[in-house]
Amino acid sequence: MTHFEPSSGQPLNRIDGPAKVTGQARYAAEYPSDGLLHGRVVCSVVPRGRIRYIDCAAALAVPGVMAVLHHANRPPMAGDDEAYEDADAADGQPFRPLFNDRVLYSGQPVALVVAQSLEAARHAEALVRIDIDPEPFETDLLAALDRAHPAPAELPKPRGDFQRAFDAAPFKVDVAYSTPSEYHNPMEPHASTVIYQPDGSLHVHDKTQGTQNSQDYLHKVFGLAKEQVRVCAAYVGGAFGSGLRPQYQLALATMAALKLQRSVRVALTRQQMFTFGYRPRTLQHLQLAADARGRLQAVRHQATAQTSRFEDFTEHVVEWSGMLYRCDNVAMDYRLVPLDVYTPLDMRAPGAALGLIGLECAMDELAEAVGLDPLALRQANFTDSNANEGKPYSSKALLDCYRQGAERFGWAAREVCPGSRREGHERVGWGMAGGVWEAMQMKASAKARLDADGHLWVSSATTDIGTGTYTVMTQIAADAARMAVGDVTFLLGDSSLPTAPLQGGSFTVSSVGSAVRQACEVLRGKLVEAAKTRFGELAGEPAERFMIAAGRLQVGDRHYELAELLQGMPGGVLEVQLDAEPGARRQGFSSATHSAVFVEVRVDEALGTVRVSRVVSAIAAGRVINPKTARSQILGGVVWGLSMALHEQAEVDHHLGRPMNHDLAAYHIPVNADIGDIEVLFVDEPDDIVNELGSKGVGEIGIIGVAAAVANAVYNATGKRLRDLPITVDKVLAG
Ligand code: MOS
């Protein structure tokens, strides 16, 4: 090999693919251990009250049952709230599982049955008798709006004079939208296997997006030294935010392991996946005004969301309305209503997935009011700076998304008049929307180690929740070291590896990727230097001629044994570990990903069913490291956006205070038959400011704007503005 071919930009297959499809990849609930005990969680069916007693006698009489843990007999746990605060905690007092006799929401874990077999635990679980003194409760956002209080979130300051500009403008819309609570439900339910080591330390396999977050939580809650707790998550079967915070099965399994000094597994059932965080129900009020050419004169976005009684969950719902378009008169407001429910939780594109429903549906309504094509309205309001922050964007190829997406979709042929295109028994409609998500970077560390056999091992404690991190980090490492991807292994999902942030927010490539790249570049620099020192004839060779391949150092047609080079180094290997942080150049800029999504729907006139036959999603996310895994992220996001538009909602019975459709039979999500053609385009977006990779992340942008585009297409098909999501058959027929 004399010419180096970078792997970045190549659609490399998932490195973890073979292990996953052959069943060799182990998930948290699949680790075996001698004498492993099984826990089953007993949840409260009362939303609010006080536990009077828990009668465990019948459960304990079941052969194989080892213990029933509850607030009165659990091992010691920290008493203060701070111990329970994790890297993604909301403001307030975090929930403390099995802490005391208080019941704060329906579905709250109140006991754990531990048995030698899962079957015994399941049987005994039904025999635990719990008597709760119920108290009055409220779980309905609409019934408690008078309790709304300003969210403890720092919103951008209002700009200009919204009311004056709104009143003075010739064209305006004043509309409200509502969205339901939605639950994450990754294919892999939450689970923790806690392996109790002979020395009393714990080796935990946890379903988490942050191994070190889980480790830190156990350290603080149970007073265990960090060295006594190792948390691993080698594979994660989807998470979407549900694994950002340590979930209660982790605390429960650990409690049982400490109490019994045995290894314990607790896996939640699918129904229990509806007993913790979720995307909160919201009401949104949008007021937009424009001049005769469609230029925005005034924007106000107000959102009200539900939260729990114990934490104020906040996310960025309204901020996008102050940054996506140019407008001088902007006001934003965000309120929370505390209810007797669990705290909501980040869920794919938290905040933006909701806020862009309001903004982008309202933009569609404004386009009609002004008499402009919805795409032309957006083009007329393009801005290349973020007015919320008063900074220019490091890059913003949104106009290219509009143009290329529209062209691929054939948008120019759109019927302007709603309800005018009919094919057979269906009305056909087209809609579009834009999307935006922050391009963040967090501090992260990585380690690179070159062995004498020419293999490069690179590691960081980050996770791969299905996003492609194993693959993409391998590509980044290989390119920085100028090696073949086959000679590089990336290790992740282990709290003992170099510090990394949670995997979330679409910031893993920019954060961990920057650390990986730097570590491998430094390592390569050291190797070149060592080779030049050791072999005098290499002194004048330019660095780019040095390659590591086939287990040897190659410079032109000369070969050198690595073993010889690495001989003098500690352990006979070359190792580099470093931290990467956002660069100083970013300071003066705002960075975000953008999208334009175009949708075709077919609405059955008699049945009211809505089918999405075609989607084009055009994405500007900087440089794409792996077009295949990146496309998969966008595809998943688009499917979920269709789900938000047409299928998903927690059907809460407010007399009982919990979702009734708490399984995948009743909680509707799209199946393959619901999904038509989806095309993903990545537009060119060079950006040497955002980070050294020029990559902005693609985990969230795919879902954003999709639900709005569908709702807009339904309007174009039927002439009905349906502002209460999801758009189900009953609403289409009645609306
Ligand atoms: Mo994502 S909601 O940041 O896992």
Side-chain angles (χ1 to χ4, degrees):
M1 183 167 88
T2 50
H3 177 67
F4 179 70
E5 281 290 342
S7 121
S8 291
Q10 299 301 313
L12 198 68
N13 285 338
R14 268 169 203 277
I15 282 167
D16 46 326
K20 282 180 171 170
V21 298
T22 57
Q24 291 174 75
R26 277 211 173 111
Y27 295 84
E30 298 180 323
Y31 283 85
S33 181
D34 285 342
L36 180 73
L37 301 177
H38 302 262
R40 286 278 292 194
V41 184
V42 183
C43 292
S44 167
V45 292
V46 169
R48 188 179 167 93
R50 196 174 282 279
I51 299 170
R52 278 211 306 192
Y53 68 83
I54 298 184
D55 180 355
C56 309
L60 287 169
V62 173
V65 170
M66 308 288 292
V68 179
L69 289 181
H70 48 76
H71 66 278
N73 69 1
R74 60 163 173 78
M77 293 166 80
D80 61 330
D81 290 329
E82 290 88 282
Y84 296 81
E85 278 169 13
D86 62 90
D88 194 44
D91 271 24
Q93 305 187 289
F95 175 67
R96 304 185 271 181
L98 304 197
F99 190 72
N100 58 23
D101 61 355
R102 297 292 311 165
V103 172
L104 304 170
Y105 70 101
S106 182
Q108 174 180 322
V110 287
L112 180 75
V113 177
V114 187
Q116 286 164 356
S117 71
L118 182 60
E119 291 73 16
R122 280 184 72 162
H123 176 50
E125 170 200 347
L127 303 175
V128 177
R129 313 200 84 83
I130 300 179
D131 192 28
I132 299 173
D133 265 341
E135 294 169 9
F137 63 90
E138 185 56 75
T139 57
D140 185 358
L141 175 68
L142 297 185
L145 287 174
D146 56 339
R147 284 213 307 268
H149 63 80
E154 263 186 50
L155 290 183
K157 295 215 173 3
R159 302 199 287 277
D161 186 339
F162 164 78
Q163 198 60 54
R164 233 175 84 153
F166 187 76
D167 291 343
F171 299 99
K172 50 194 107 178
V173 294
D174 186 334
V175 280
Y177 304 91
S178 58
T179 64
S181 293
E182 297 161 2
Y183 284 82
H184 305 73
N185 276 297
M187 286 304 291
E188 179 205 13
H190 279 249
S192 304
T193 300
V194 178
I195 298 174
Y196 192 88
Q197 308 281 15
D199 65 356
S201 68
L202 305 180
H203 185 184
V204 183
H205 298 282
D206 188 30
K207 190 219 172 75
T208 178
Q209 290 172 247
T211 54
Q212 290 164 335
N213 194 33
S214 290
Q215 179 197 33
D216 190 51
Y217 179 86
L218 296 181
H219 153 70
K220 291 185 300 187
V221 169
F222 295 102
L224 301 163
K226 281 210 182 173
E227 309 73 59
Q228 279 194 292
V229 183
R230 179 177 173 202
V231 178
C232 292
Y235 298 99
V236 178
F240 316 113
S242 66
L244 287 172
R245 302 189 67 177
Q247 296 303 352
Y248 64 75
Q249 89 287 339
L250 174 64
L252 266 49
T254 303
M255 252 180 240
L258 293 174
K259 172 125 179 163
L260 301 169
Q261 305 196 350
R262 294 278 300 268
S263 298
V264 179
R265 168 181 305 152
V266 176
L268 300 189
T269 63
R270 181 55 67 183
Q271 295 192 335
Q272 286 168 337
M273 293 300 290
F274 292 79
T275 61
F276 56 94
Y278 54 93
R279 199 193 293 283
R281 187 179 181 188
T282 62
L283 302 173
Q284 299 182 50
H285 180 200
L286 274 292
Q287 293 166 286
L288 308 182
D291 67 12
R293 289 162 60 190
R295 292 174 305 194
L296 283 166
Q297 303 299 302
V299 170
R300 175 144 81 187
H301 193 162
Q302 299 173 292
T304 306
Q306 73 178 56
T307 188
S308 67
R309 295 265 191 190
F310 41 96
E311 284 175 305
D312 275 343
F313 172 77
T314 60
E315 53 186 351
H316 296 233
V317 183
V318 295
E319 285 87 336
W320 318 101
S321 294
M323 61 192 266
L324 184 55
Y325 302 114
R326 178 192 306 279
C327 184
D328 295 332
N329 301 291
V330 177
M332 300 170 220
D333 183 61
Y334 177 36
R335 286 164 189 276
L336 297 179
V337 175
L339 298 172
D340 297 297
V341 295
Y342 194 72
T343 312
L345 179 58
D346 289 327
M347 181 157 145
R348 204 169 196 175
L354 295 171
L356 272 281
I357 289 173
L359 177 63
E360 290 300 280
C361 285
M363 284 293 279
D364 201 70
E365 303 205 33
L366 183 67
E368 190 180 38
V370 178
L372 268 182
D373 180 277
L375 179 60
L377 176 73
R378 288 168 173 87
Q379 286 165 328
N381 287 289
F382 177 81
T383 174
D384 55 12
S385 66
N386 177 350
N388 284 350
E389 297 182 354
K391 290 177 182 177
Y393 282 108
S394 58
S395 60
K396 182 175 174 180
L398 179 57
L399 291 173
D400 292 330
C401 294
Y402 290 149
R403 204 184 48 246
Q404 292 181 34
E407 201 174 286
R408 191 66 63 98
F409 187 83
W411 183 256
R414 175 175 176 270
E415 292 286 351
V416 176
C417 196
S420 57
R421 187 166 153 209
R422 192 184 262 120
E423 286 180 19
H425 55 98
E426 291 175 325
R427 286 186 191 265
V428 183
W430 290 0
M432 61 86 53
V436 52
W437 181 252
E438 293 166 278
M440 294 172 271
Q441 183 179 349
M442 309 287 159
K443 184 175 170 179
S445 322
K447 181 158 82 179
R449 188 190 81 206
L450 181 67
D451 283 357
D453 63 0
H455 198 85
L456 181 66
W457 299 84
V458 185
S459 58
S460 178
T462 184
T463 46
D464 182 342
I465 59 175
T467 45
T469 306
Y470 275 113
T471 312
V472 168
M473 293 303 153
T474 304
Q475 291 180 274
I476 293 170
D479 287 358
R482 291 173 78 83
M483 293 173 65
V485 286
D487 291 335
V488 180
T489 302
F490 187 71
L491 303 171
L492 54 69
D494 183 338
S495 63
S496 67
L497 296 173
T499 310
L502 297 161
Q503 174 155 83
S506 300
F507 53 62
T508 302
V509 166
S510 59
S511 311
V512 179
S514 293
V516 163
R517 178 172 151 126
Q518 286 176 23
C520 293
E521 278 177 351
V522 171
L523 180 137
R524 185 182 148 75
K526 288 190 173 196
L527 185 79
V528 169
E529 204 184 337
K532 286 186 174 188
T533 311
R534 175 82 177 71
F535 307 108
E537 71 271 23
L538 295 177
E541 289 285 351
E544 60 275 11
R545 298 240 303 154
F546 290 65
M547 313 264 183
I548 304 154
R552 293 186 295 184
L553 173 69
Q554 304 184 1
V555 185
D557 49 16
R558 290 190 295 250
H559 302 271
Y560 303 88
E561 292 307 317
L562 281 170
E564 212 178 314
L565 248 182
L566 302 179
Q567 220 167 34
M569 305 198 180
V573 299
L574 178 54
E575 193 170 279
V576 170
Q577 179 170 345
L578 52 74
D579 295 338
E581 286 182 82
R585 289 189 70 202
R586 267 186 77 118
Q587 297 304 317
F589 295 86
S590 195
S591 288
T593 53
H594 292 90
S595 66
V597 57
F598 300 82
V599 166
E600 176 181 271
V601 300
R602 290 166 180 271
V603 183
D604 188 294
E605 285 190 281
L607 302 175
T609 48
V610 179
R611 216 153 47 82
V612 178
S613 39
R614 221 152 56 78
V615 178
V616 173
S617 174
I619 303 288
R623 188 162 145 265
V624 172
I625 307 279
N626 183 326
K628 190 168 194 172
T629 52
R631 177 172 174 272
S632 291
Q633 285 301 300
I634 305 304
L635 286 179
V638 168
V639 169
W640 205 342
L642 304 183
S643 190
M644 291 182 79
L646 302 174
H647 303 279
E648 269 185 77
Q649 64 180 324
E651 304 272 12
V652 180
D653 181 331
H654 295 297
H655 298 289
L656 295 168
R658 63 175 181 275
M660 295 290 100
N661 55 343
H662 57 162
D663 57 46
L664 293 182
Y667 183 86
H668 286 188
I669 53 172
V671 296
N672 270 324
D674 293 310
I675 303 302
D677 219 39
I678 302 175
E679 203 173 331
V680 179
L681 310 174
F682 291 103
V683 306
D684 256 2
E685 192 182 56
D687 189 331
D688 58 1
I689 294 163
V690 63
N691 56 54
E692 61 202 89
L693 296 158
S695 295
K696 294 177 172 176
V698 290
E700 337 253 342
I701 188 66
I703 190 175
I704 300 166
V706 176
V710 173
N712 297 341
V714 169
Y715 174 72
N716 183 247
T718 64
K720 292 174 185 175
R721 286 283 180 199
L722 299 172
R723 303 186 180 97
D724 176 36
L725 264 54
I727 297 171
T728 43
V729 169
D730 51 322
K731 296 172 192 169
V732 173
L733 290 177

